[in-house]
Amino acid sequence: MKVTIDGIEIEVEPGTTVLQAARMIGGDVVPPAMCYYSKLKDTGGNCRACLVEVSKGSEADPRPMPKMMPSCKTGVMDGMEVKVKTSERALDARKAVTEFLLINHPLDCPVCDQAGECDLQNLSFKHGLEKTRFKEEKRTFEPENIGDKIQLHMNRCILCYRCVHTAEQVCGSRNHGVLNRGDHAQISTYVSAAIDHEMSGNMIDVCPVGALTDKTFRFKSRVWFNKPFDAHRNCDKCCGKTTLWMFGNEIQRVTARKDEFHEVEEFICNECRFDHKEVSDWVIEGPRKFEKWSVINQSNYTRKMDKVVIDTEKQILEGRDQDRKKISMKEVPYKTSEK
Amino acid sequence: MGQKILFEKIHIPGIKTYDVYRENGGYASVEKALKMNPDDITEEVKTSGLRGRGGAGFPVGLKWSFIDKKSGNPRHLVCNADESEPGTFKDRYLMEYIPHLLIEGMITSSFALGANLSYIYIRGEYMWVFKTLERAIKEAYAAGWLGKNIKGSGYDLDLHVHCGGGAYICGEETALIESLEGKRGNPRIKPPFPAVKGLWQNPTVVNNVESIATVPWIILNSGEDYSKIGLGRSTGTKLFSVSGHVKKPGVYEIEMGMTVDEFMNSDEYCGGMIDDRPLKGLIPGGSSVPILPKHLIFKTANGEDRLMTYESLSDGGFATGSSLGSGGFIVYNDTACIVRNTWNFSRFYHHESCGQCSPCREGTGWMEKILWRIENGQGTEEDIDLLWSIQAKIEGNTICPLGDAAAWPVAAAIRHFRDEFEYHVRFPEKIKNRDHFVNEPFEKVKHLLQNTTV
Ligand SMILES: Cc1cc2nc3c(=O)[nH]c(=O)nc-3n(C[C@H](O)[C@H](O)[C@H](O)COP(=O)(O)O)c2cc1C
Ligand code: SF4
Ligand code: SF4
Ligand code: FES
């Protein structure tokens, strides 16, 4: 089947969705997806961030579709023409969705562990308004433990349902779900101890925002101060292929490997994720690369770094020395050699 | 006196019971249908032009013909008795006073669709109606109209009533199916449509109570007879549940095509305005449809009589028209405050949004909060434009039509009654006692707006 996205033609199998076809093309025709997750069944359709304009239905029925369509749930038809970034209406809808997702979001990025690898930050950066039009109080919840290794900050949740599908499909049980309706809807487990499945940690990885976080990593580091390395170990519960987030020689966090769409390549078990924080537990393969624009490249070690030269360094140090002598601590030696 | 189809026998004493219902010709349509070819029944319903009475007005026969009979999977008919739209209470009336009519319709329709297991999904708040239906179903089983080999025809049908938990969203057909399956009532993303994959992934038809209760008459007479009643593509009779400032609120069955003027002002129906106060607005089809201001109620924008038909009520699109919706006819006189009324509707949609998709989940709550502010005199001029912008961003971007239904009333209120919003914003001291417009109708204070500049 032939489908044209923003003027780029591509041949795809029947049954492909518009979003998948766009991802095959790649680049900036890929609509943002906050809820769809290709590794899980039945996801998508909730966030509406991926809305696109279908300007021609198909060869057989060329009428345009009147509404914006969720690309993750819209199957391609032969001859379909789709507009992603060339459609004013689709961009407007995306802006609207971004605004809606943010009105009840606490915007506590400075203290959120997800900051730096958060899909909502990326979406807001691209499509968000710089000012809020929402004056009211935001809805709030108390943080909650989901099992002993995961913490839920419901305030940050965008109700994408990914973790619900993970619990159902990867952990094989329906003990994690949504309570209540509307903007007071809440991800919960009823009994927080109920989640003790050995794959439960994957909920952290699928969560596009900082609503589900790793308690063994909480407040340890900003993600961009960590250096990610691919590593593996022999594991009888999962593939054992992970990314280690290092600070010096310390493994601060272990996650599954995420691809360019921030989806995990393969799910990993809780033992790999939480219980192996020694370098000797792992065979390290090498640094993991991220998109060019990702903030994680702040700690760029793949390229040789120049030495930083500060021209005024000498004066600064001199001044500091004078100040020290002038102001206080005359008696305290600046360097041991000064004595 | 117009023709009655649904209410023909409703006033017979004891019609609630099987014996009286049967003596008065009840279940005759089943007898007739069982001798017919199921596809011919569907054809009859198609010819009748009967349109779905649940709100969308989709032709019933056409919907039936979409049901996937080839897959060989079991098929189901589900009756949507969730009736939770503010202003709509016609289905309750039917089920409460003549429950066997619905059951008869369910049997005939299930036979046409080849369904052997059918359901009536009723809202939780109608507990006593639920019991009435259960009793009626028991009677029908006892008389051999339900169960195995109905009246020796070889056709089996089991019918159950299921009681919902009290969510408006479970009236949306796919959410209803989810709820019936025992899950959280979140609407499904279409396609696939229920006619292909519905209840337990089997082909399913969901129809409103009133739609199904009309089928017996069509089978007993003919599709053509039915299509002669009414006007144009709005065939047959329709129930309207009237509430608000009229002398005689209640449920009325009318032949479609009557003028709105006659319906509202004749003594046979609504009987005119209560206390003869002036009319301010009309919502013709339940809280989800746009409100009409006074000058667009009896006449359309191009000066024709406004009629009680699908076409005429929606004449002019949303700019100057509304929609027949589910027949919840709400009348407002000059003491009503449109801002408060809109806030009240928004509060409802905020409370009832399932929260599955972002625009509706966040937008309904946001609109409710802004409307609350305006209604309480804390709003600003920009809030009115903000509301407009929010509703426009919800509409069309959601999974199910609840998002649209939340947006339309707000849009229409601002479109036609913007000055009332401005009044709230500019004269907070006038509205602070919450009795504005009761003592001081808006018409009398409207001039104040002209003296203010923003
Ligand atoms: C939010 C929402 C609520 C609805 N509630 C009802 C309802 O209470 N009763 C009803 O019959 N249809 C309701 N509908 C319409 C149904 O989805 C469906 O169109 C209808 O049951 C089909 O029956 P009909 O073709 O006989 O009208 C609702 C739709 C939406 C979007
Ligand atoms: S907790 Fe995270 S993954 Fe789960 S619904 Fe909320 S945002 Fe999605
Ligand atoms: S539009 Fe509202 S009610 Fe409908 S699926 Fe979305 S959130 Fe739920
Ligand atoms: S990714 Fe398509 S709606 Fe969320």
Side-chain angles (χ1 to χ4, degrees), chain B residues 19 41 63 82 87 109 127 171 182 210 239 241 252 331 333 356 371 398:
Chain B
D19 293 334
I41 303 180
K63 196 190 251 186
D82 192 59
S109 313
M127 194 37 109
E210 192 187 340
L239 300 185
S241 36
Y252 295 100
V331 185
N333 70 14
Q356 205 188 168
L371 279 160
T398 56

Side-chain angles (χ1 to χ4, degrees), chain A residues 95 98 141 244 272 321:
Chain A
K95 278 198 192 114
T98 311
F141 302 88
L244 306 181
C272 288
D321 204 35

Side-chain angles (χ1 to χ4, degrees), chain B residues 66-360:
Chain B
F66 289 153
I67 195 166
D68 176 10
K69 289 194 171 179
K70 283 190 228 90
S71 70
N73 289 335
R75 295 183 286 274
H76 305 286
L77 172 67
V78 178
C79 171
N80 188 344
D82 192 59
E83 194 170 57
S84 322
E85 175 108 344
T88 308
F89 43 88
K90 64 192 173 66
D91 296 343
R92 186 194 92 190
Y93 195 75
L94 266 183
M95 294 186 288
E96 199 178 343
Y97 291 101
I98 185 160
H100 282 285
L101 181 63
L102 174 62
I103 295 165
E104 181 176 351
M106 284 299 285
I107 303 171
T108 311
S109 313
S110 298
F111 179 72
L113 294 165
N116 301 109
L117 180 56
S118 296
Y119 290 89
I120 299 173
Y121 184 100
I122 191 164
R123 67 183 297 208
E125 291 86 341
Y126 284 177
M127 194 37 109
W128 79 101
V129 188
F130 169 74
K131 289 188 179 140
T132 310
L133 283 175
E134 285 233 299
R135 200 176 316 123
I137 287 178
K138 213 179 263 167
E139 287 175 328
Y141 265 107
W145 296 109
L146 285 169
K148 291 254 169 303
N149 191 11
I150 295 170
K151 298 287 168 193
S153 65
Y155 173 64
D156 308 334
L157 175 67
D158 278 311
L159 178 62
H160 299 282
V161 201
H162 181 86
C163 201
Y168 172 61
I169 190 59
C170 289
E172 200 281 335
E173 52 187 5
T174 53
L176 186 151
I177 289 172
E178 287 277 301
S179 171
L180 206 49
E181 289 181 2
K183 303 190 196 136
R184 181 184 161 83
N186 278 359
R188 292 181 183 167
I189 294 159
K190 297 185 236 183
F193 288 91
V196 181
K197 281 195 159 89
L199 189 58
W200 298 303
Q201 301 298 312
N202 294 331
T204 306
V205 164
V206 181
N207 272 133
N208 175 257
V209 173
E210 192 187 340
S211 314
I212 291 174
T214 310
V215 173
W217 193 94
I218 296 175
I219 299 309
L220 273 182
N221 298 276
S222 75
E224 207 171 322
D225 286 347
Y226 190 82
S227 69
K228 284 184 195 136
I229 311 168
L231 187 76
R233 285 187 58 230
S234 300
T235 61
T237 64
K238 169 89 189 85
L239 300 185
F240 279 90
S241 36
V242 183
S243 59
H245 299 132
V246 287
K247 287 209 177 93
K248 286 165 57 191
V251 184
Y252 295 100
E253 179 172 16
I254 59 160
E255 277 181 37
M256 286 211 257
M258 179 184 286
T259 62
V260 175
D261 192 4
E262 182 185 351
F263 184 62
M264 261 175 67
N265 293 321
S266 78
D267 287 335
E268 197 188 332
Y269 300 105
C270 308
M273 299 299 288
I274 204 164
D275 299 336
D276 296 316
R277 290 197 75 100
L279 175 67
K280 183 187 246 180
L282 166 72
I283 295 179
S287 64
S288 304
V289 308
I291 189 170
L292 291 173
K294 194 168 63 186
H295 64 277
L296 290 171
I297 294 176
F298 301 127
K299 298 272 179 209
T300 62
N302 46 23
E304 287 161 23
D305 277 344
R306 180 92 63 192
L307 309 175
M308 305 284 277
T309 60
Y310 287 96
E311 293 76 23
S312 177
L313 284 174
S314 57
D315 186 275
F318 281 174
T320 60
S322 181
S323 170
L324 185 132
S326 55
F329 199 85
I330 315 174
V331 185
Y332 299 94
N333 70 14
D334 62 343
T335 62
C337 170
I338 298 300
V339 179
R340 185 183 313 169
N341 182 67
T342 313
W343 164 70
N344 196 20
F345 285 162
S346 274
R347 190 175 59 131
F348 173 80
Y349 291 110
H350 173 208
H351 187 254
E352 297 296 341
S353 158
C354 84
Q356 205 188 168
C357 54
S358 337
C360 166

Side-chain angles (χ1 to χ4, degrees), chain A residues 34 152-154 156-164 166 176 178 187 203-204 206-212:
Chain A
M34 304 294 290
L152 168 67
H153 281 260
M154 189 54 217
R156 296 177 189 149
C157 172
I158 58 162
L159 283 163
C160 69
Y161 281 68
R162 279 182 186 175
C163 57
V164 179
T166 308
H176 179 85
V178 180
I187 294 286
M203 288 184 207
I204 303 168
V206 300
C207 185
V209 294
L212 290 166

Side-chain angles (χ1 to χ4, degrees), chain A residues 39-279:
Chain A
K39 309 296 185 302
L40 296 167
K41 284 199 297 280
D42 299 329
T43 50
N46 297 335
C47 72
R48 320 303 279 181
C50 70
L51 292 175
V52 294
E53 183 177 338
V54 178
S55 48
K56 179 178 168 193
S58 67
E59 210 54 74
D61 181 3
R63 283 174 305 166
M65 298 191 182
K67 283 188 184 182
M68 297 291 106
M69 301 301 287
S71 59
C72 62
K73 281 283 181 186
T74 309
V76 296
M77 306 288 257
D78 194 30
M80 188 184 249
E81 281 173 23
V82 180
K83 289 181 176 173
V84 182
K85 64 178 202 309
T86 48
S87 158
E88 223 28 70
R89 284 173 67 205
L91 288 176
D92 270 354
R94 195 157 303 149
K95 278 198 192 114
V97 168
T98 311
E99 185 173 21
F100 285 135
L101 286 176
L102 288 174
I103 60 169
N104 272 312
H105 190 83
L107 300 173
D108 56 350
C109 308
V111 294
C112 175
D113 284 324
Q114 188 89 2
E117 52 175 22
C118 174
D119 289 341
L120 189 58
Q121 278 185 326
N122 294 348
L123 188 73
S124 324
F125 188 70
K126 267 206 172 137
H127 303 284
L129 299 169
E130 59 272 33
K131 268 170 98 178
T132 179
R133 303 193 291 170
F134 184 75
K135 292 189 206 165
E136 278 73 18
E137 215 168 283
K138 300 186 186 233
R139 58 131 171 72
T140 50
F141 302 88
E142 285 298 311
E144 194 185 326
N145 286 334
I146 304 258
D148 61 341
K149 295 283 182 7
I150 308 175
Q151 191 162 62
L152 168 67
H153 281 260
M154 189 54 217
N155 290 351
R156 296 177 189 149
C157 172
I158 58 162
L159 283 163
C160 69
Y161 281 68
R162 279 182 186 175
C163 57
V164 179
H165 291 293
T166 308
E168 215 171 293
Q169 293 165 28
V170 183
C171 308
S173 60
R174 243 187 91 189
N175 48 17
H176 179 85
V178 180
L179 306 179
N180 298 329
R181 287 194 298 251
D183 61 6
H184 29 275
Q186 171 178 8
I187 294 286
S188 189
T189 53
Y190 263 119
V191 189
S192 51
I195 296 272
D196 60 354
H197 192 272
E198 63 192 26
M199 300 297 270
S200 67
N202 290 302
M203 288 184 207
I204 303 168
D205 281 347
V206 300
C207 185
V209 294
L212 290 166
T213 50
D214 181 343
K215 280 176 80 175
T216 65
F217 178 62
R218 275 170 63 73
F219 305 133
K220 276 215 173 133
S221 171
R222 314 280 13 190
V223 295
W224 57 87
F225 291 144
N226 280 173
K227 295 188 177 184
F229 286 93
D230 278 348
H232 65 264
R233 61 181 281 273
N234 261 337
C235 178
D236 49 9
K237 296 185 193 135
C238 69
C239 62
K241 291 182 194 148
T242 62
T243 302
L244 306 181
W245 297 77
M246 312 281 292
F247 191 78
N249 260 345
E250 184 194 349
I251 299 178
Q252 291 195 322
R253 180 168 70 136
V254 182
T255 66
R257 296 183 189 174
K258 293 193 186 178
D259 64 16
E260 57 182 312
F261 306 114
H262 306 164
E263 292 184 4
V264 305
E265 285 169 6
E266 275 173 279
F267 293 113
I268 62 167
C269 68
N270 284 5
E271 190 191 326
C272 288
R273 185 185 304 271
F274 299 124
D275 301 337
H276 291 279
K277 298 280 173 81
E278 294 301 326
V279 179

